[in-house]
Amino acid sequence: MAAAGTGHENWSSRTAFILAAVGSAVGLGNMWRFPAEAGENGGGAFVLFYIFCVLLIGLPVLLSEVLIGRHGQANAPESVRRVARDSKASEGWSILASMGVFAAFLILSFYCVVGGWVVYYIGVFVSDLFQTGLSGGAFEGRAASDIEGLLPGLFGNGGLMVGLNLGFLAVTMFFVARGIASGIEWVAVYLMPLFFVLFLGITIYGAFTGNFSDAVAYLFTFDFSKLTGEVMLAAVGQAFFSLSLGVAGMMTYGAYANRDTNLAETSGIIAGADTAVAMLAGLAIFPIVFAAGLSASVGPGLMFQSLPIAFQAMPFGSLIGLAFFVMVFFAALTSSVSLLEAPTAYVFEKFSFSRPVATLIVGLGAAVLGVLSSLSFNEIAEFRPLGFIPTFAEANFFDALDGVTAKLFMPIGAILTCIFVGWIADAKLIDDENGLDGVLHQTWRVLVRFVCPVALTVILLVGLFG
Ligand code: TRP
């Protein structure tokens, strides 16, 4: 239903808003990227610095984004324009959100590629369940190298990669085309609770059957000497990706929030839930991987290669493996929906298309880029679109999109958001939106005006030239 005077649908309740925003935040970033990054960057040092980044940089930027959206009540660039107009500032600031919308579109295109891999592993475990039965470990009688080879095998099969990618994108488009209440909110309200139930079940299973104490020691023993510049950079980048920041996604969701929602409190819940899920993902994956005697530091292969091997030795391995990838699928879908919604809301409001047509236009664009990303692991692996920029010299199409969005668009979008909210926008307007007072308000102001822009500028420069 359209909310009074806004001309668009709103969340039907505060709970729906929280579930959708948590759904956006919790995704492949938590389940796949966080444990892989923590493992590659030495465990405890990374984890502690990550929490620090969420509190001091992520949370203030998250609140800034949702408040712009809620004040503007429109797609992200239009929301920034309205805040600027109400502050008697230049409407040119909307460029920060236009860039964000474009970046969300780029992220969507490769996010759905990885979503396709998740679907592939669901298929792998379903067929394994039929072959090895319910109670034994997964992949009975198969060599570890065989299981590890599943991912390169998939990469080598361009047709399958493209098919899975487009399938995942199509499901995302289906829900976004249906609109807020019966699409995006529906996914969040049904899939997020299911996600949490599966997730807790698997974490408890890992705790009882796996090597829980080693995992806890690995993730939470803080070794100061391991905290290098590279580790810090990885932690901030991960915090931003995981909270869906810097690319207008949270602005778009903020626009559907009601006037009486306390945004500071809601942002705290979103950031808290997202961080808790990342920690628990580590506590679900590492005990299982350690119990199988495998290493933590394998990077992106951790979830797609090490974990399936580890399931081989676990009781009910195929069943738990299936449950695990179904759960990751739910998390990924609620995130890809938010990535598609940001550009779709823009196209739909700006050019007065119907929502389904706008979804189709954006989705087709993402499909074209997605095909190129899908093929960049084999067929067009030699294609280096940004070969002329030293930082991205070695990057194939998929890595180039990942690199450009993480190293350029996200930090620049976040820096501009902080400057806009902290220095340009009318202080009274910001006060009325943010739901903070007293010391917390002062702290947030200082973070948004000084700490975040400075820290993010350092990150931007080190990321590009360091
Ligand atoms: N945060 C999501 C994850 O962790 C991914 C995501 C969704 C995202 N929307 C975003 C990342 C917007 C950046 C910007 O998987």
Side-chain angles (χ1 to χ4, degrees), residues 24-25 27-30 107 111 241-242 244-245 247 335 338-339 410:
S24 166
L28 293 166
N30 306 60
I107 298 175
Y111 201 85
F241 186 84
S242 193
S244 305
L245 295 179
V247 305
S335 298
S338 82
L339 285 163
M410 285 192 186

Side-chain angles (χ1 to χ4, degrees), residues 108-159:
L108 170 75
S109 75
F110 69 83
Y111 201 85
C112 289
V113 173
V114 185
W117 307 348
V118 173
V119 174
Y120 174 75
Y121 277 85
I122 291 177
V124 165
F125 279 102
V126 167
S127 84
D128 190 64
L129 203 53
F130 281 110
Q131 276 162 25
T132 50
L134 196 60
S135 58
F139 309 110
E140 204 163 73
R142 283 172 74 177
S145 58
D146 224 26
I147 306 169
E148 197 169 15
L150 288 168
L151 192 64
L154 172 62
F155 287 177
N157 186 342

